[in-house]
Amino acid sequence: FCGGTELECNCNYCDDFENDDRCANACRVMNGYTYVPRGWGTWRAKRLSSASSTSERDCSWMALRSGRGDDCKKCDKCALQCRLANPMGTCS
């Protein structure tokens, strides 16, 4: 996930949904999970009700889709700046 950036994460592992940290959350959302498969626990992807924009970027897209507008798949400058400006977003 976002290799070579300050938000880089290794998503190459078998997830048991035990960890609740930035990398585990981003990897799950990037792979299409917004909640734990039945019987595996209580984890759910975070929702961002109101996104903070930066002086260079409009980050309102992060609050779309009921607060899950960021699917954690893009790693361009815009996505990275918006994620840093919204540390409690879906990919955190």
Side-chain angles (χ1 to χ4, degrees):
F1 171 75
C2 295
T5 72
E6 61 191 284
L7 298 179
E8 179 175 2
C9 294
N10 176 5
C11 296
N12 190 23
Y13 64 93
C14 184
D15 194 354
D16 59 7
F17 291 87
E18 290 291 319
N19 292 336
D20 186 12
D21 57 54
R22 184 183 58 78
C23 283
N25 296 340
C27 292
R28 289 174 189 143
V29 172
M30 183 183 70
N31 284 302
Y33 291 97
T34 56
Y35 58 90
V36 173
R38 180 176 228 126
W40 282 46
T42 60
W43 177 85
R44 289 195 179 279
K46 294 177 177 135
R47 293 180 186 267
L48 188 64
S49 60
S50 178
S52 297
S53 292
T54 72
S55 59
E56 298 177 18
R57 305 282 176 209
D58 174 12
C59 301
S60 61
W61 57 271
M62 297 180 80
L64 299 175
R65 292 184 21 222
S66 299
R68 292 185 178 145
D70 190 354
D71 62 9
C72 307
K73 292 182 180 179
K74 293 184 180 178
C75 293
D76 58 33
K77 187 175 180 180
C78 176
L80 294 174
Q81 287 179 346
C82 286
R83 286 184 192 129
L84 290 171
N86 294 278
M88 296 306 293
T90 306
C91 302
S92 58

